[in-house]
Each structure stands twice: as structure tokens, then as C-alpha cells.
Amino acid sequence: MTRTRNTTRPPGRHDQRRPRTPRGPHDWFAERLLAVVSGQRPVHSLLGHTVGQAYEQLVTLATTAPSPRPSGWGDPTRDRLRPVLRRCGRFHPGPGVIEAFARITTGDRVSAMAFRLEQGPDLRWRCAAIEMAPLP
């Protein structure tokens, strides 16, 4: 077995703790949007990170989410059906704009979320639109 680099891992094995591609703002937003829509975080946690109608869309989506239970109740069904972000991708239609999608699994069901990020004059990314079916 020949190794070209000074490493202890076998060839072809990747470290699962490190993402292969650098994480971008769309990954951060996908995680936060899912946490808000699933009821794990309050809606106002994204108040400064949204513009235009996106906050109203987020409020509408979050009101259809099941209310979170206090931890320690030990409901195994609820833990098994917690939505999980599986993959997040992006497309750059122009400078300062990211159109992103995310695949979400809840138990055996797969759903999708799409959102648009726009970079402001202060170079901060803000969510401008969200599209998603309510989570089961």
C-alpha cells in the first residue's frame, strides 16, 4: 500500500467530522430556518436576518409547526421524528444573490425547503424569500 501524503488514514477514507466543501451562508441559514420552522428556536431569532416578506413567510411556517416539549419527557417517537437537514445546495444567479435548497428528512418522509439570500450593502446575507411545505 503506497501513500503519497504523510497521513495515518487509509486511502479513500474521508474524515466525517470535516465537511468536504467549505460551508457557506446558505448552510447557516438552512440550519437556522429548519430550527425555527420545526419549533426548536423562536421566530424572532431570525428577525435581523430576513428582509421583506421573508419574515412574514417564516412566521406563517412556524405557526404550523408542532410546539416543542420540554426536554427530559422521554418521548422516543418525538425524537425519532425530529426533522434533520440532509443536504443543502446553492445556485448563484447573480452577484450578491444565492438561491439555495435543502433536503429535510422527518422519519421516513423527505421534504424540501428553498430560500433566497441577498447580500446587502453592509455585506451581510439576509433571507429574502422562503418556500416550504409544512413539516409533518
Side-chain angles (χ1 to χ4, degrees):
M1 185 161 70
T2 305
R3 293 189 177 133
T4 58
R5 287 188 264 162
N6 187 10
T7 180
T8 58
R9 68 173 169 82
R13 183 179 295 172
H14 299 284
D15 190 353
Q16 297 299 323
R17 295 170 292 183
R18 297 182 194 154
R20 292 184 183 182
T21 58
R23 294 175 50 90
H26 63 288
D27 293 307
W28 186 89
F29 272 95
E31 291 171 358
R32 296 318 183 277
L33 290 171
L34 180 60
V36 168
V37 170
S38 65
Q40 297 172 11
R41 291 179 66 111
V43 179
H44 68 267
S45 64
L46 287 176
L47 184 60
H49 301 285
T50 56
V51 293
Q53 294 294 324
Y55 189 74
E56 285 82 14
Q57 293 170 336
L58 192 57
V59 168
T60 303
L61 289 169
T63 56
T64 61
S67 60
R69 284 184 159 177
S71 62
W73 281 34
D75 186 358
T77 305
R78 181 166 175 79
D79 291 338
R80 187 175 67 240
L81 297 178
R82 176 172 285 154
V84 177
L85 184 67
R86 291 295 177 197
R87 183 171 187 273
C88 187
R90 68 182 181 269
F91 172 70
H92 293 276
V97 178
I98 297 175
E99 291 182 351
F101 67 90
R103 288 190 199 129
I104 301 164
T105 57
T106 308
D108 292 337
R109 297 186 65 186
V110 178
S111 56
M113 171 174 56
F115 54 97
R116 179 182 176 96
L117 301 177
E118 296 177 354
Q119 195 172 30
D122 58 354
L123 302 181
R124 292 179 52 199
W125 291 97
R126 291 180 180 86
C127 185
I130 307 164
E131 290 187 22
M132 175 180 185
L135 293 172

